[in-house]
Amino acid sequence: MKRLIVSLSVLSLFLSSCSLFKTRTRPKNLPIKNVPFKARSSYDAELRKRILVLPFIDEKPGRSKDVGKVARQTVVRSLIRSQRFVIVSNNDFPKDLSRYVREDREYDLERVAQIAASMGIAAVIDGKVLQIKAKKIGDQVGVFRKVKARIETSVRLRVVATRNGRLLLNDVRKASVEAETTRVAEYSYSDRYLEEDPNLIRKSVQRAFAGSIPQIVKAVEKLSWEGRIALVSGERVFLNAGRLSGIQIGDILKITEEGNEVFDPDSGHFIGQAPGRMKGTVEVVSYFGRDGAISIIHSGSGFQENDRVELY
């Protein structure tokens, strides 16, 4: 009998301890908040336009390729922070972009724009490092040395609309900054190598391009948004733009066929893409992938891959 009483007491104590532990880890009346899954702030807010930032070209061929890479990364990061664009990866471009660099070390932007338009890209950005001059103005002694330098940078940025190949922006900027970089176990550090130091390039290019970013935003805002049909599977239509682009579930989108390319009869230059015939509308019901949307047919028929998509 005593054993039974002791066992019941131990069991009661154990259950009481469990109850206390449960109460501490999972308190009652825990507030539950519904987080809105919105792709944009309001129904009539601007959609994020897709832009392609080409690999930057360095005017000085003998300089390290890292100069152009760091310059491009600096601009791309600034564009991402603006939250106005979707940056299309260069790897998604169907052709080798180096094939479009002419002998004068300039891109054939007209040809690049035509291909980019078929991908639903609104604008192409072309950057070029025109000049970088660096001069050492301070140097410490020791294994880990801080080298202070003055860097003068000259850069150019161009923005081209893909629909008609029109030049929206041609901006040349200059900047001069003083910055430090750290070197390890080096006896001397020449001005020539300072011109290729990633840390110094990043700071000088960021200063030079700072005034260009608002100009890019202003130029691209004038363009109309568009996407493309990536796949048609029965009643479902998969789009190459989704939540990242600002497409909201419930949006009604207009589908038009690809229009004809129009060229100037005298010069032969590409004028633009003529509007195609409207095929119908789709309603967005879900998302997929990094920036894709799934829609169902709302009206019309005959939708095909690469058809143009616009807000209705």
Side-chain angles (χ1 to χ4, degrees), residues 64-92:
S64 170
K65 292 182 179 179
D66 290 339
V67 173
K69 289 181 180 178
V70 173
R72 181 184 179 276
Q73 288 171 0
T74 303
V75 172
V76 168
R77 286 169 182 166
S78 298
L79 292 172
I80 291 173
R81 282 196 295 269
S82 74
Q83 299 184 349
R84 300 292 188 91
F85 310 108
V86 175
I87 311 298
V88 178
S89 171
N90 287 333
N91 294 328
D92 293 337

Side-chain angles (χ1 to χ4, degrees), residues 82-186:
S82 74
Q83 299 184 349
R84 300 292 188 91
F85 310 108
V86 175
I87 311 298
V88 178
S89 171
N90 287 333
N91 294 328
D92 293 337
F93 196 77
K95 304 286 186 180
D96 182 3
L97 285 167
S98 63
R99 292 171 49 189
Y100 297 93
V101 180
R102 303 191 303 248
E103 293 183 0
D104 60 353
R105 298 184 63 77
E106 296 284 1
Y107 280 105
D108 187 341
L109 291 177
E110 187 174 300
R111 292 175 61 199
V112 173
Q114 288 181 50
I115 299 173
S118 67
M119 300 169 62
I121 295 172
V124 174
I125 295 180
D126 160 39
K128 193 170 190 179
V129 179
L130 301 176
Q131 188 179 58
I132 293 181
K133 287 184 178 181
K135 184 176 179 59
K136 185 169 59 177
I137 57 177
D139 195 353
Q140 293 181 346
V141 178
V143 178
F144 294 92
R145 301 160 49 208
K146 284 189 176 181
V147 179
K148 191 174 183 180
R150 180 181 294 110
I151 310 97
E152 295 180 358
T153 307
S154 177
V155 292
R156 187 202 67 200
L157 211 58
R158 296 188 296 180
V159 181
V160 176
T162 61
R163 293 295 296 175
N164 53 19
R166 184 165 59 92
L167 187 65
L168 301 176
L169 181 68
N170 187 4
D171 196 21
V172 176
R173 297 273 172 168
K174 295 181 180 180
S176 178
V177 298
E178 291 185 4
E180 289 182 340
T181 186
T182 303
R183 308 308 302 172
V184 181
E186 292 187 14

Side-chain angles (χ1 to χ4, degrees), residues 253-306:
L253 304 175
K254 179 173 64 175
I255 308 296
T256 59
E257 64 184 10
E258 183 68 15
N260 295 324
E261 295 179 348
V262 181
F263 296 86
D264 188 287
D266 295 327
S267 65
H269 289 304
F270 177 66
I271 298 176
Q273 201 89 12
R277 177 182 62 89
M278 180 175 172
K279 291 185 173 182
T281 58
V282 296
E283 180 181 354
V284 178
V285 296
S286 185
Y287 302 120
F288 77 97
R290 183 173 178 270
D291 187 35
I294 304 173
S295 62
I296 57 174
I297 296 176
H298 184 263
S299 67
S301 62
F303 303 141
Q304 296 179 348
E305 293 180 13
N306 208 42

Side-chain angles (χ1 to χ4, degrees), residues 37-48 225 245-254 281-284 287 298 310-312:
F37 192 67
K38 292 185 177 180
R40 58 185 191 272
S41 57
S42 61
Y43 181 78
D44 57 350
E46 286 285 331
L47 297 182
R48 300 177 188 91
W225 181 90
S245 294
I247 297 294
Q248 181 65 48
I249 291 176
D251 279 344
I252 303 297
L253 304 175
K254 179 173 64 175
T281 58
V282 296
E283 180 181 354
V284 178
Y287 302 120
H298 184 263
E310 301 173 86
L311 272 178
Y312 188 60

